[in-house]
Amino acid sequence: FSASGDVNVNYHTESGFTFFGDFSYGTSAYRQKRYYGEKFYIPGESNEVFHTQTHSNARSRSRSFSADGGVNYDFGKHSVGVKYYFYHTPKSHYYDNANTETDAREDVSVISSCTDLNSNSSTHRVNMFGDFALPLNIGMRIDADYVGSLKRSLSAVDENKSEGWVRNSNRTVSDLWAAKLVLTGKIQNTEIEVGSDISHTSNNQDFASAASDNLSFLRPGEDDVKQNLYAVFGSFDWTPDQKWNVYGGIRWEATDSKYRHDNLLNSDLSRTYGNILPNIGVCFNSGIYVTLFYRASVYRPNYQSLDNNYIYVTPTLWETGNPELKTALVHRIGLNLSYKNFSLQSSFRINERNSSAVYYYDSDKGENVTKPINLPRYNSLQIVAVQRLDFGLWHPALQGVFYIQDLRYGAPRRKYDKPLYTLSMNNRFDIPGGIYAYLNIFGMGTGNQDVVYSHGAWMASLTLNKSWKRWTFILSANDLFGTWRQPFDTETNTVAYSSNREGGSQSVSLSIRYTMNSAKGKYKGKTARQDEIDRL
């Protein structure tokens, strides 16, 4: 059973002030059947292959609430504003009861285990902005953010009625300061934008781990990562006539990060580097719309993936982070076209240092370990086709996605090049009485994405929407027939790992909303560096 409610308040004055206030509360839960299978061998030893199979029943429940308040002031062509956000999860509880069969441990072949994880978190955030109209038709935009968060977690694993046990505790404190300045102008039929942004991020994690058999790789520690990021950028958008549009730009980023473990600076993991990120595109619109573009982008790993702690997964598998992860760089060439109700989007990517979780056997620990790494350079191609149709009261939309890559990785070296596809059919039915029904059917096929192989699954969902006066009613049913599964394999190095999750996706929900008045203004603030906020 899950429930949520929210209240939104908006007060607008004729002098240009708009005051905002929002509050929401929610509780959510799920149950899930899970299967984990491991097949592995130890390098340099006999050809014996070991197997571990784990069946478990998991359940989770969490409570959360959020509140924010702010003000927006419009005067002439200018706007300024500030808003404060608070997010809090007072308790999140996860419990898993599992049974494992394995031939990899000499002492016991059948292991029962219980995992109990409790966590809580809170986040404070302040956003400020200013939007000004300067002389010579120059626009100036300033956005700034502060984010502070605290996360705590405590997990306990007991094997065979506490004959063996593992304990993990974690406390993470994060802070982010960011600001962005953008100047815009127009010269004849060309719009020009130049700007700069800066951010400082600090992420400090204290962790402690212990086990009944005193595993040497479980020991308390502290990871501290600080990063300064500077960027300058410029772009143009040229529209010579009604048919053609040419746009482009360049961005330069400089990153300086310091990594400390137990208050000692690690010079190998502390990095200073720069990236030049160009983009260029051309659009043609004359009945048929065509766009050809190139863009370079960087993706930095989230801070949780840099953790040095070890987490128990199964009796023969542990999970850890990787502080050696580097920033991924992606070069993308795209061709998009649309004609009437048909659209096609194609994207060819050159992926450098893309990160993915892999598995390997650690001979020092005598255990299988999974952790994120930077993959070798590989190429990928994705094509998305959408066709929209109208048949009276029925409005279907068909979508197909095709993905293929040429990744090679591991020891032994393997190919991960099976094409992956998805198919979906989204239907809207206009029912008399002002009711809209949405029936969506989604199917995922087989194939690789990174080092993961999907075995395919499908699901159907139904939504009914009715508006009456100031009321809105939404009734939704997800995974109507209970068909959704998550069967995925990852075979890397000397470990083949498979997982299958059933449940947690089938649900029915009713949403009721009453709107007293329509909002006369909205908060116009924007985040200065959303990608850096997401890393926290």
Side-chain angles (χ1 to χ4, degrees), residues 249-285:
I250 192 167
R251 179 182 181 87
W252 176 78
E253 293 187 351
T255 307
D256 177 39
S257 62
K258 295 291 187 291
Y259 177 88
R260 289 178 171 83
H261 179 68
D262 291 340
N263 295 318
L264 296 177
L265 179 67
N266 188 319
S267 58
D268 293 333
L269 302 180
S270 301
R271 302 183 177 98
T272 299
Y273 59 92
N275 294 107
I276 298 178
L277 308 172
N279 75 90
I280 187 72
V282 57
C283 304
F284 175 77
N285 186 7

Side-chain angles (χ1 to χ4, degrees), residues 131-181:
D131 199 348
F132 307 99
L134 303 182
L136 303 177
N137 292 324
I138 296 175
M140 182 175 71
R141 173 91 191 193
I142 302 173
D143 293 281
D145 288 288
Y146 166 74
V147 179
S149 67
L150 172 63
K151 302 174 185 177
R152 296 187 181 95
S153 67
L154 177 64
S155 67
V157 180
D158 292 306
E159 288 186 353
N160 292 340
K161 298 181 179 180
S162 300
E163 288 183 7
W165 53 265
V166 179
R167 300 291 184 266
N168 276 292
S169 65
N170 195 298
R171 180 179 181 271
T172 302
V173 179
S174 303
D175 292 283
L176 179 141
W177 300 84
K180 184 178 183 179
L181 171 66

